[in-house]
Amino acid sequence: MTDYVPIDCGLHSEYERAILQKQRLQIVWRDPDGTHHIESIAPLDLLTSAGEEFLVGHTATGARLEIRLDYISNHRKACHPRSARRYPIPVPSVRT
């Protein structure tokens, strides 16, 4: 059995809209080890496997990512790199 926690339908619709509109997203997520990542991706599809849902996309360098939806802590439309410095996306604090 998986520990996947389904996401809100509205959030799922936002990902679908970004895919259809070919809108790059800046995503903040943690991997299974708990390491946080920030990446601008071109979302391509939403997949379901073994009861878990994933956002599939390509990075600016062309690397393919499959990010489990409940691991995403924040997202927004990607913007020009210079404006991203003025309006940083929040990254969850890591508690030890």
Side-chain angles (χ1 to χ4, degrees), residues 5 9 18 43-44 50 57 86:
V5 178
C9 292
L44 302 173
R86 283 184 274 154

Side-chain angles (χ1 to χ4, degrees), residues 13-89:
S13 294
E14 288 181 38
Y15 295 136
E16 289 175 328
R17 187 176 312 113
I19 292 165
L20 292 173
Q21 295 177 350
K22 300 185 185 318
Q23 174 66 55
R24 290 192 71 80
L25 296 174
Q26 188 173 23
I27 304 283
V28 178
W29 81 97
R30 64 176 170 79
D31 61 27
D33 296 326
T35 303
H36 284 90
H37 304 269
I38 301 174
E39 188 76 51
S40 176
I41 69 164
L44 302 173
D45 202 358
L46 292 167
L47 299 178
T48 302
S49 176
E52 299 173 349
E53 295 179 288
F54 298 86
L55 177 63
V56 179
H58 285 129
T59 67
T61 61
R64 179 183 166 98
L65 291 176
E66 290 186 13
I67 305 168
R68 201 170 98 166
L69 295 185
D70 63 337
Y71 286 175
I72 298 173
S73 58
N74 205 334
H75 78 280
R76 69 171 180 200
K77 291 180 182 178
C79 55
H80 190 277
R82 279 185 258 183
S83 61
R85 279 185 253 139
R86 283 184 274 154
Y87 305 103
I89 192 167

